[in-house]
Amino acid sequence: RAKNHPCVIAWSLGNESGWGPNFAACAKWLREADRQKRPVQYEGAQLHGDAVLFQGDGQGPDSEVVCPMYYSPDMILPLAAGHRPVILCEYTH
């Protein structure tokens, strides 16, 4: 029986930390080092891929999962038509 063994299904680059070249380098390293090729996600990046000071839209080019925060159902539906999975990493307080 496999008891008390962790299971990593995806890599997260952090939370609410802005965006910049160090995140892109970390995502690149994870993709090269992880033999199982698990997806990388980060909610703090923007679709345009440029630096973000605080909170992005979860659609950054280095994230294989679209993971916005506090989106309404109307805002999520267009994302679901894309080619990446959508996960709301936070949805309410």
Side-chain angles (χ1 to χ4, degrees):
R1 170 181 152 149
K3 181 181 172 193
N4 298 328
H5 292 275
C7 177
V8 177
I9 61 168
W11 298 109
S12 173
L13 296 178
N15 183 40
E16 297 180 5
S17 308
W19 179 257
N22 290 337
F23 286 95
C26 183
K28 181 178 184 285
W29 182 86
L30 283 168
R31 289 186 186 100
E32 292 170 354
D34 184 13
R35 290 181 290 139
Q36 295 184 24
K37 304 297 181 199
R38 288 170 275 226
V40 176
Q41 74 88 25
Y42 183 59
E43 49 75 26
Q46 289 274 20
L47 179 61
H48 56 65
D50 200 1
V52 176
L53 179 61
F54 177 63
Q55 183 175 331
D57 60 12
Q59 300 181 62
D62 286 304
S63 182
E64 279 122 5
V65 178
V66 175
C67 43
M69 296 182 3
Y70 312 116
Y71 272 33
S72 68
D74 290 337
M75 296 167 73
I76 296 166
L77 288 174
L79 298 177
H83 65 280
R84 295 187 281 179
V86 178
I87 297 174
L88 292 178
C89 63
E90 291 183 27
Y91 60 92
T92 188
H93 275 281

